Amino acid sequence: MDVTNPATVTREANVYDLNTTSAYLNGVYVNIAKDLFSFGSITAYPEIIADNLKPSGASVPYLFPEYSWSQLSSKNTVDAANSENVNKIWLNGYGIIRACNFVLEKSEEYRSENSQKADNMKAQALAIRAYINFLLVNTFAQAYNFTTDASHPGIPVVTSSDWAAPISDRQTVAGVYNAMIDDLNAAIPLFQAGTPSALTMNKNAAKALLARVYLFKGDYTAAKNTAREVGATVPIMPASSTGYPSKLFTTTETEALFQLSPSNSSSTTFSSVFVGATFVTYNYYLSTADMALLLKQYPSDIRAGWVTSSGTTWKVTKYPQGVIANYTIPAASYYQTIIRSSEMYLTAAEAYAQISNEDSARYYVNQIRSRATLPALPNTVTGASLLDSIYTERRRELCFEGLRMFDLLRWKKGVSRVDVWGNNKSLPYPSNKAIAPLPQQDVEGYQLTQNLDY
């Protein structure tokens, strides 16, 4: 947060009505794809700090200390091991939040020009802000249920676009979740009616994010109600040669609720390099054998192609290549889906199981299993076994999409790796090393409370 923003003067000079505010908002989407998802860090981080990914070697320039739970507090975005850390997630995340706040301010200022258009832009900005806060609070703070009342430190909740405005200390995690829920509930009625595009934030996506937030909060009744509503509006994509799973991460992915468009340039500085390229072009990360064998457990599973054996290792091949022709990096040429209806079915399944409505829980998880041609869970799978089966199916379906460590923490589970690079086999729960340190420059500049053990 504590950086000089040279674009501040430029944005004030160039945003002077709703049309220019809309153009600025379009730039926010580009910045999310290009900056926050740069080289897939925000997607890879929750997977590699847990048990779905591992580095391909010690020279990987991204997230190596995070994999070994040896990350240190730093003022830089690259640590002493010459490996990029998650400080960039914090800095870019708050940059996007500031930009959303600017859209909120300007859409209100120019509201008289077209109130419906102003409301739609306001809705997008509120929902994007909630999404970024979700990523930040789960990266830099313990899960909601870490304390009984979620009174442990979360992140600062920033509601001003002014980079010079003072920042208060971290809100509690409860306070951050309340802010996210407030933003999403405020956004949902403001979206324009009609069939939305998944390439911008929209009503269905905002509802899906709300269901995710409720699930992570442990409000299971609200989570299943909201997830069911989204799933009824946007069902999961049927399995077929022209559907699931081959059309995931394309514009014909019918279950996509919110996607990021790729951007192309001859320079990676101006391109969106999504996580798929780090598996193929750059060879930074590999699937763990643990994850690969889970996908290969059933010979009939149509998701088995999401990993491919390469000698003694497993390549991640879940993301398509060349979805748009003539891209500089073909493995980055796809649409990064942020949230999709499969997650909503799994949210409903987990929430129903948590409130002991096991028939409904089995119904929703079996929709995911049967589509993948796995056998349905029988009625004899109940209680803790049912929850474990839902957790496993969630790990399969959403693997490599950036949720794994966040899930483990809210389930109060440690990390136990079978396939490991080096000696980093296990991280018990709870652990202070399960979350990232705050950037030291903001700890010092804003007098923020640093996470323990950093």
Side-chain angles (χ1 to χ4, degrees):
M1 289 185 295
D2 186 17
V3 297
T4 301
N5 185 1
T8 299
V9 175
T10 303
R11 77 181 184 188
E12 292 290 349
N14 289 281
V15 177
Y16 46 80
D17 59 12
L18 280 185
N19 286 336
T20 51
T21 304
S22 179
Y24 182 86
L25 177 58
N26 290 339
V28 172
Y29 289 104
V30 173
N31 286 339
I32 295 172
K34 182 177 68 68
D35 297 334
L36 192 60
F37 280 77
S38 173
F39 284 88
S41 292
I42 191 64
T43 313
Y45 169 77
E47 306 288 317
I48 199 165
I49 198 174
D51 51 5
N52 282 353
L53 291 177
K54 66 177 185 177
S56 60
S59 61
V60 170
Y62 288 84
L63 304 178
F64 192 83
E66 284 72 16
Y67 172 76
S68 59
W69 308 303
S70 60
Q71 63 269 39
L72 300 172
S73 176
S74 172
K75 293 183 179 181
N76 304 309
T77 57
V78 177
D79 61 26
N82 200 32
S83 180
E84 189 164 304
N85 55 39
V86 296
N87 282 2
K88 185 178 285 188
I89 294 173
W90 175 279
L91 298 172
N92 287 327
Y94 276 108
I96 292 163
I97 287 173
R98 299 269 194 196
C100 288
N101 294 340
F102 185 71
V103 171
L104 291 171
E105 293 159 9
K106 292 302 177 181
S107 61
E108 195 61 37
E109 181 178 348
Y110 302 121
R111 181 180 179 78
S112 60
E113 296 177 15
N114 184 327
S115 60
Q116 188 177 42
K117 184 174 183 177
D119 281 347
N120 191 55
M121 287 191 291
K122 183 177 180 180
Q124 292 177 65
L126 285 167
I128 293 170
R129 185 170 74 180
Y131 169 61
I132 303 302
N133 276 325
F134 174 86
L135 294 177
L136 292 174
V137 77
N138 280 282
T139 300
F140 295 97
Q142 298 283 358
Y144 190 94
N145 60 0
F146 184 73
T147 53
T148 56
D149 57 357
S151 60
H152 52 289
I155 57 171
V157 173
V158 175
T159 57
S160 170
S161 69
D162 184 0
W163 288 83
I167 301 299
S168 61
D169 200 3
R170 302 164 67 175
Q171 294 276 341
T172 64
V173 169
V176 178
Y177 271 73
N178 288 339
M180 291 189 290
I181 291 168
D182 288 347
D183 276 353
L184 291 167
N185 279 326
I188 288 167
L190 296 178
F191 282 106
Q192 289 179 345
T195 304
S197 167
L199 296 178
T200 58
M201 185 60 74
N202 58 80
K203 180 178 286 190
N204 291 330
K207 288 181 178 179
L209 286 168
L210 183 59
R212 181 192 282 181
V213 170
Y214 282 141
L215 181 71
F216 276 60
K217 184 183 178 183
D219 187 343
Y220 298 118
T221 298
K224 61 93 174 171
N225 288 342
T226 311
R228 281 186 58 194
E229 182 180 351
V230 176
T233 304
V234 185
I236 58 173
M237 184 163 54
S240 74
S241 59
T242 58
Y244 177 92
S246 64
K247 295 303 179 183
L248 289 174
F249 314 109
T250 72
T251 54
T252 55
E253 180 191 335
T254 60
E255 69 172 59
L257 299 166
F258 178 40
Q259 294 178 309
L260 297 174
S261 298
S263 59
N264 191 35
S265 170
S266 59
S267 168
T268 56
T269 302
F270 302 105
S271 296
S272 56
V273 183
F274 295 144
V275 73
T278 68
F279 302 137
V280 178
T281 305
Y282 297 99
N283 193 34
Y284 289 162
Y285 313 120
L286 299 166
S287 171
T288 61
D290 323 21
M291 185 66 247
L293 296 178
L294 195 61
L295 288 168
K296 303 283 188 181
Q297 180 179 357
Y298 295 90
S300 63
D301 196 331
I302 62 176
R303 299 166 298 189
W306 289 352
V307 291
T308 302
S309 176
S310 177
T312 59
T313 62
W314 293 94
K315 294 276 191 180
V316 176
T317 47
K318 184 175 188 177
Y319 292 94
Q321 300 184 52
V323 172
I324 301 174
N326 302 318
Y327 257 56
T328 305
I329 306 172
S333 175
Y334 66 90
Y335 292 82
Q336 184 68 56
T337 302
I338 301 301
I339 194 163
R340 55 192 178 98
S341 293
S342 291
E343 182 184 337
M344 293 299 98
Y345 280 51
L346 291 162
T347 294
E350 182 178 340
Y352 270 123
Q354 290 286 3
I355 60 175
S356 300
N357 186 334
E358 295 190 341
D359 287 340
S360 294
R362 278 188 293 269
Y363 169 81
Y364 278 100
V365 72
N366 282 337
Q367 292 292 302
I368 300 296
R369 288 175 64 90
S370 62
R371 180 181 62 173
T373 66
L374 269 61
L377 296 178
N379 292 341
T380 53
V381 179
T382 62
S385 295
L386 177 58
L387 265 177
D388 284 343
S389 296
I390 293 168
Y391 294 163
T392 299
E393 201 55 45
R394 182 178 174 92
R395 184 183 182 190
R396 278 197 193 97
E397 181 63 33
L398 302 179
C399 63
F400 317 128
E401 294 186 39
L403 288 173
R404 178 59 175 166
M405 191 63 171
F406 303 160
D407 283 336
L408 287 175
L409 289 177
R410 67 184 179 84
W411 294 333
K412 297 190 173 185
K413 293 179 179 289
V415 179
S416 180
R417 297 166 174 163
V418 176
D419 178 18
V420 61
W421 198 99
N423 297 312
N424 309 291
K425 291 186 176 181
S426 62
L427 184 74
Y429 179 88
S431 171
N432 295 328
K433 290 295 184 178
I435 59 175
L438 276 58
Q440 193 60 31
Q441 66 185 49
D442 279 3
V443 170
E444 296 174 6
Y446 291 117
Q447 300 299 301
L448 301 180
T449 303
Q450 180 60 279
N451 286 325
L452 295 175
D453 287 348
Y454 291 112

